[in-house]
Amino acid sequence: QISGVCALSGPTIATELATRLPAVMVSAAEQATLAETVQSCFDVSWMRVYTSTDLIGVELAGACKNVIALAAGMCDGLSIGDNAKSAVLARGLAEITRLGEAMGAQMDTFFGVAGVGDLATTCFSPHGRNRSCGEALGAGMSLSEYEASTSSVVEGVATSRSIRSLAKKHDVEMPIAETVYDVLFNGL
């Protein structure tokens, strides 16, 4: 019997999964056999699931991308263009990677499906909850107004607190994540 923790992550917008549009994910567990077992559970013709033993990297990538997506949405709300939004994505990826490495994750994880793949989808898809929230904030709506207007959970809001704490604990500079935190909680 296999036991342990396994994380599934990747560029997977729920509405696209529901209609069986092509997708990829990564199944990550410290035990390769657990990651492979979970991979086999999702063996369908329209989705490819990769495996990884970098559990912490996949978990961090999946959490941190939501904070960066808030910033990308703010770019949309401010109407400052795709160049600026792409710069946020690129520099955000650098921040996520620095934190991951400081916490023992593998750098390659952040340049794969769970890292840049999921980050790009979350930052650019109009279906992304975090990007949509950031867009509303960038256009001038307050966080409390946005939260009252949606039934969706915007994971990046709570995650920004955790990421800020981890960055401080591991002495990692994360200026984009720090600024998102300040917008959400310090009136910036």
Side-chain angles (χ1 to χ4, degrees), residues 11-12 16 21 34 37 41 44 46 61 65 79 83 89 101 104 115 124 129-130 135 140 149-150 168 182:
T12 49
E16 292 186 15
L21 291 174
L34 176 57
T37 299
C41 293
V44 294
W46 47 273
K65 56 96 175 163
S79 298
N83 292 336
L89 188 150
E101 287 185 303
F124 282 95
R129 295 179 304 270
N130 294 284
E135 182 176 14
S149 74
T150 185
K168 288 184 182 301
D182 286 340

Side-chain angles (χ1 to χ4, degrees), residues 8-14 16-27 38-50 113:
L8 279 172
S9 193
T12 49
I13 298 293
E16 292 186 15
L17 290 177
T19 58
R20 298 182 178 183
L21 291 174
V24 296
M25 296 179 81
V26 61
S27 168
V38 172
Q39 175 192 41
S40 68
C41 293
F42 292 89
D43 184 21
V44 294
S45 63
W46 47 273
M47 183 165 55
R48 169 77 166 104
V49 180
Y50 296 91
V113 170

Side-chain angles (χ1 to χ4, degrees), residues 38-111:
V38 172
Q39 175 192 41
S40 68
C41 293
F42 292 89
D43 184 21
V44 294
S45 63
W46 47 273
M47 183 165 55
R48 169 77 166 104
V49 180
Y50 296 91
T51 62
S52 172
T53 56
D54 186 14
L55 179 60
I56 188 71
V58 169
E59 289 176 324
L60 276 172
C64 290
K65 56 96 175 163
N66 292 320
V67 176
I68 303 305
L70 283 164
M74 291 175 197
C75 292
D76 291 335
L78 292 166
S79 298
I80 59 175
D82 288 335
N83 292 336
K85 186 161 69 167
S86 292
V88 165
L89 188 150
R91 295 311 309 153
L93 179 61
E95 289 184 19
I96 295 168
T97 303
R98 282 195 303 267
L99 179 62
E101 287 185 303
M103 294 179 66
Q106 300 167 15
M107 183 192 298
D108 289 350
T109 297
F110 302 99
F111 294 95

Side-chain angles (χ1 to χ4, degrees), residues 98-99 102 164-174:
R98 282 195 303 267
L99 179 62
R164 183 174 186 258
S165 176
L166 287 171
K168 288 184 182 301
K169 178 180 177 181
H170 294 280
D171 196 29
V172 174
E173 288 186 28
M174 297 186 74

Side-chain angles (χ1 to χ4, degrees), residues 146-160:
Y146 185 81
E147 289 178 327
S149 74
T150 185
S151 60
S152 297
V153 174
V154 181
E155 304 95 327
V157 172
T159 303
S160 68

